[in-house]
Amino acid sequence: MGVFDVAADAYVRFMGRFSAPLSGPFAEVGLAGVDRSARVLDVGCGPGMLTCELVRRQGASRVSAIDPVESFVRATAASYPGVDVRGGTAEDLPYADDTFGATLAQLVVHFMRDPAAGVREMARVTVPGGRVSACVWDHAGGRGALSGFWRVVQRCDPEAEGEATLAGSTAGDLTRLFVDAGLREVDETLLEVRREFATFEEWWQPFTLGVGPAGAYVRGLNQIERVGLEGALREEHGDGPVTIQAGAWTATGVV
């Protein structure tokens, strides 16, 4: 999670612009059939985009959230004072067995140190009959929120790794993780979001904040390389508006 050890505001400006609109549809799927009185957990909450949606639906006193990045923990706790916000990792959740009616991880599985262990932990802390859900951008299918960026990067730098090989980024990946964790009635769908940016600069500038693998890649370029990449991206997208249509593989299963 080192590439996310950044200020909460930087994350919001970079990925929050996509994860915030995704949180509503994802919560709709992840809370399907879950009682409004049930406790729910946001795993890898970041600065609280999904937490906000869970609070709206369940009430702050029924929501818990956890993240390994201290700046994110502080930001979420400050924004939602009624939520139980803790520091910790998905692979070692500090909750008792059978605690939550639903456990959700939005855009997190592909950055877990051990995705299989993380999903098993999510299942462990969820009550029998409760729901476990996760979503990951369709990086491998070229429909992720950052796919357009990585396509241009890899044309300029064929050795750049991108994010297409990360866990959950390919159709069926999340289903396999869920089935292996013992979850049943597993269903995988593709949720889509659309964002429009008035100018190229509005879309591009957050890539320079050093957030995630994309931000780390940009930060690692020298000045000439960065100017070259920016020019290639501008040639691809134009001066604006820039429209991003993104899809995230989303799996749900029952404990």
Side-chain angles (χ1 to χ4, degrees), residues 2 10 12 24 35 43 47 51 72 99 114 130-131 140 142 152 178 182 191 234:
V12 172
D35 194 276
V43 176
T51 308
F72 295 171
T99 297
D114 184 341
R131 186 168 294 277
V152 174
F178 276 39
L191 296 180
R234 187 184 293 273

Side-chain angles (χ1 to χ4, degrees), residues 164-223:
T165 61
L166 296 177
S169 301
T170 301
D173 278 1
L174 289 174
T175 293
R176 285 188 286 274
L177 284 168
F178 276 39
V179 170
D180 288 349
L183 294 165
R184 56 187 178 84
E185 300 176 31
V186 177
D187 183 45
E188 184 172 318
T189 57
L190 187 74
L191 296 180
E192 294 186 324
V193 296
R194 177 186 175 93
R195 277 296 316 271
E196 185 168 293
F197 303 93
T199 65
F200 172 82
E201 286 76 13
E202 182 186 357
W203 171 78
W204 160 250
Q205 197 279 331
F207 283 92
T208 68
L209 300 176
V211 182
Y217 179 84
V218 173
R219 280 280 177 91
L221 300 175
N222 62 39
Q223 185 174 0

Side-chain angles (χ1 to χ4, degrees), residues 22 26 29-30 43 50 103-110 112 115 118-119 122 131-137 167-168 174-175 177-178 183 187-189 191 248-253:
L22 178 64
F26 179 52
V29 171
V43 176
L50 177 61
T103 301
L104 304 90
Q106 175 172 280
L107 307 177
V108 173
V109 167
H110 50 318
M112 293 178 182
V119 174
M122 291 172 66
R131 186 168 294 277
V132 173
S133 304
C135 64
V136 174
W137 294 122
L174 289 174
T175 293
L177 284 168
F178 276 39
L183 294 165
D187 183 45
E188 184 172 318
T189 57
L191 296 180
W249 291 116
T250 303
T252 67

